[in-house]
Amino acid sequence: MALDLPLAQQLEQIISFGIFVLGAVLASLSLLAWRRERDRRMAVVTVAYAMFAVYGLVVFLEYFLLPHLSYQVVELLEHGAAGLILLGLLAFFLALSRE
């Protein structure tokens, strides 16, 4: 399904897909490090990267979901997913501040 999107929305999708891919790769690498070291902080970092990846995926899929869901539901999903950024930042802070 090809979408004919304005440049700003195309940029949003490209960047969101990049956030998804980078977050997923970093979460995978962090998970491997956690499995090797069993450090609780690394588990928190893994979850934080996963939150960024989920946020990127939700924003990337926004325009694909519009034909299937109402506009209000898609917007609520997108803006609600921004809370994952907040939680991810908090998780990073906790991982860095704990000994």
Side-chain angles (χ1 to χ4, degrees):
M1 167 165 93
L3 297 174
D4 187 27
L5 299 174
L7 180 60
Q9 291 173 338
Q10 290 177 16
L11 185 61
E12 178 185 32
Q13 281 218 296
I14 291 167
I15 291 171
S16 297
F17 187 70
I19 291 170
F20 166 67
V21 170
L22 185 60
V25 167
L26 292 173
S28 299
L29 292 173
S30 299
L31 180 64
L32 290 174
W34 173 79
R35 288 183 62 191
R36 185 182 66 234
E37 298 175 16
R38 297 292 181 193
D39 182 10
R40 183 177 177 157
R41 290 182 294 174
M42 191 52 70
V44 173
V45 169
T46 300
V47 170
Y49 280 133
M51 287 185 211
F52 286 116
V54 170
Y55 171 77
L57 182 63
V58 167
V59 175
F60 173 73
L61 292 176
E62 173 186 10
Y63 299 107
F64 293 106
L65 293 175
L66 278 173
H68 307 290
L69 300 171
S70 71
Y71 179 78
Q72 291 84 6
V73 170
V74 172
E75 284 297 306
L76 182 62
L77 183 63
E78 178 191 8
H79 295 298
L84 292 172
I85 299 296
L86 181 65
L87 293 174
L89 290 171
L90 181 62
F92 278 123
F93 175 76
L94 290 174
L96 290 174
S97 64
R98 301 258 172 158
E99 298 228 25

